[in-house]
Amino acid sequence: MDVYSGKASFKGIAIGRIVEMKRDSMEVHRIPDCDPEVQAARYFEAKVKAGEELRLLSLQCAGEIGEADAELFKVYAMLLDSFDDSVLTILREQNVNAEYAVARTGDKFVAMFAAMEDNPYMLSRQMDLRDVTDRLLRKFDGEEHEREDYHEEVILIADDLAPSEAVQLDKSRVRAFVTREGTTNSHTAILARTMVLPALCQTPVPEEAAGKLGIVDGFAGCLYVDPDEETLAAYRRRAREAAERLKSLEVLKGKPSVTRSGQRIRLYANINDPGDLESVYENDAEGVGLFRSEFLYMKRDDFPSEEEQFEAYRAVAEGMEGREVVIRTLDIGADKQTDYFGQEQEENPALGCRAVRICLIREEIFKAQLRALYRASAYGNIRIIFPMIISVWEVDRIRQICDEVKQELASEGVPFNDVPLGIMIETPAAVLIAEELARKVDFFSIGTNDLTQYTLALDVRNQALAPFFNPHHPAVLSQIRMTVEAGHRHKLRVGICGELGADPAMTEAFVRMGIDELSVSPAAILPLRKAIRRIG
Ligand code: PEP
Ligand code: MG
């Protein structure tokens, strides 16, 4: 038995035959003395086919996994468009074949992304670019490539896996995937979590492992190859227990999230898109505690109109049928970038012009979003929350702008409700002045993701800093307590909507601190309800 350690993208146990993922070789030869016009026509023909394939993939992903994940393939289509200039220049200047021009363009873009060493997000996008390049190159040979079918349960191993490959996996057979490269921040890792597939990356598994039996332990972050009987039996037991645990959670649907002593915790869901409502219902969330509206902006190449935003907010408000929906105003900036905002390049984007700072500088963007939110408030139980607050004057100014928007709507005869206004507590500054802030707002929600990174002065997406990262750092926990106490002194409800809220190891501590609400990814709702109902 051999054991290989890696980084877990999604926790879980999987047992299956190890299969090395087959890929067609993409050898491209340079053919000189070609007619640039003929080659350009061949390029555009291949590009149309690749674009059509991406459109179908997006539909497949939307149907099988979810709307939000399907957006990735629309981004791929945009990447595809960015090839035109470079390919046509190479064709014109070098008189080479179109395949060669595409391959060189792909290499150039990958090298550009690879050079962004200090930006883990861009670094992890290299795989997306390689995928787009290979997809385009395959279209020149005219062959269609079928998805591989397996006849038993398998653990796939590969150097890396593109998100489009992850989506196309035979989900009835593939139990896990393990890659030698990749990062836990890649879109492939995000898809693994949505698909509930245990996955490891940066795992040095040799090719010879293929054909042998394997066990992926996504909790310990390791792959067992050719396990001995005892290990296999132990993991079979753990896998069975995990499946039973999942099934046993079904009975908790419709039950209140209340401790044995009667303390009620609101268990809400975090969503990015109206398409996520399905999993909100499926997991019996009691409300939406964080709708990250910036995803509406990020999946497009121009500002969404007030009307488009209104439709999205109304869909969620109506879909939740009177239950609370907390919508956050755009949190663009830092790792959530959009080109069309035309933001200046920043040395330190996490400390830069992001979130509410953009809104207070560029009021026209803010007002369009607020108008859409207030208009949607007539269709359900909407609350608005503002991200990245550090000062009282910001809240005063936000309130003034909200009043202006309400006056405008009233004068136009547009119906709206009086919406409660809350703030994210996700900077140490906001914690330290929580008393003053509490006098100005209706509720608090603690964003532990940012609060942790700003408190520890550590980029949580930087894998190299993993040894220094402690999500339970006492400095973070005591700030959560301070926020709850300050909020309660002013009769505000205080929730947590960062990832820490879903950590079952912390549930009892949060309940004892008096937290009123936990807003988590939909799949975490029922396990948390179970944990809450066990607390005395
Ligand atoms: C947070 O910072 O914890 C949070 C919920 O906001 P986001 O993760 O979207 O920055
Ligand atoms: Mg945040």
Side-chain angles (χ1 to χ4, degrees), residues 144-324:
E144 285 311 318
H145 297 258
E146 297 287 315
R147 139 170 133 176
E148 195 157 0
D149 285 324
Y150 306 102
H151 305 291
E152 59 183 331
E153 306 207 319
V154 302
I155 293 171
L156 270 191
I157 58 172
D159 286 340
D160 207 348
L161 196 68
S164 62
E165 292 173 315
V167 170
Q168 285 175 301
L169 295 177
D170 174 1
K171 284 178 266 308
S172 65
R173 300 289 189 194
V174 176
R175 287 284 158 262
F177 56 80
V178 177
T179 58
R180 301 179 182 96
E181 298 162 19
T183 72
T184 52
N185 301 314
S186 68
H187 274 122
T188 303
I190 295 168
L191 280 168
R193 292 192 272 275
T194 323
M195 290 154 71
V196 199
L197 272 190
L200 303 180
C201 58
Q202 298 176 36
T203 312
V205 51
E207 278 179 22
E208 300 76 64
K212 300 186 176 152
L213 193 67
I215 301 172
V216 172
D217 181 343
F219 297 95
C222 62
L223 168 69
Y224 292 83
V225 177
D226 210 2
D228 56 42
E229 279 304 316
E230 201 183 325
T231 309
L232 187 59
Y235 273 101
R236 286 221 160 102
R237 198 169 50 243
R238 278 184 67 182
R240 224 175 15 248
E241 284 165 5
E244 279 160 15
R245 260 199 311 278
L246 213 61
K247 198 145 195 309
S248 71
L249 291 173
E250 293 278 314
V251 300
L252 291 171
K253 289 188 181 169
K255 299 250 167 75
S257 307
V258 61
T259 64
R260 284 198 257 149
S261 59
Q263 189 179 339
R264 179 178 171 218
I265 311 293
R266 292 163 197 261
L267 261 187
Y268 286 6
N270 291 349
I271 64 168
N272 302 330
D273 188 278
D276 295 335
L277 277 187
E278 223 166 284
S279 58
V280 173
Y281 307 142
E282 175 61 24
N283 291 284
D284 198 34
E286 296 156 32
V288 168
L290 175 65
F291 176 177
R292 289 178 160 104
S293 74
E294 58 273 15
F295 283 87
L296 297 178
Y297 292 74
M298 285 161 63
K299 63 186 190 188
R300 11 176 336 118
D301 49 18
D302 201 355
F303 290 98
S305 65
E306 177 187 319
E307 205 54 33
E308 279 170 79
Q309 292 193 64
F310 162 66
E311 288 301 340
Y313 305 144
R314 184 176 77 164
V316 177
E318 282 184 340
M320 289 306 287
E321 296 180 332
R323 281 169 290 173
E324 285 181 354

Side-chain angles (χ1 to χ4, degrees), residues 270 272 290 292 294-295 328 331 334-336 354 387-388 424-426 445-454 496-500 519:
N270 291 349
N272 302 330
L290 175 65
R292 289 178 160 104
E294 58 273 15
F295 283 87
R328 181 171 73 184
D331 187 12
D335 58 326
K336 299 179 206 151
R354 63 171 287 199
M388 279 295 289
M424 300 276 300
I425 301 288
E426 52 184 348
S445 190
I446 306 173
T448 49
N449 306 339
D450 277 313
L451 185 59
T452 305
Q453 81 163 342
Y454 293 129
I496 295 178
C497 60
E499 292 297 302
L500 196 60
S519 190

Side-chain angles (χ1 to χ4, degrees), residues 326-354:
V326 181
I327 306 183
R328 181 171 73 184
T329 55
L330 61 91
D331 187 12
I332 294 289
D335 58 326
K336 299 179 206 151
Q337 295 287 346
T338 46
D339 285 345
Y340 65 86
F341 267 66
Q343 296 284 108
E344 294 284 319
Q345 279 281 345
E346 294 176 309
E347 290 238 343
N348 230 331
L351 304 181
C353 191
R354 63 171 287 199

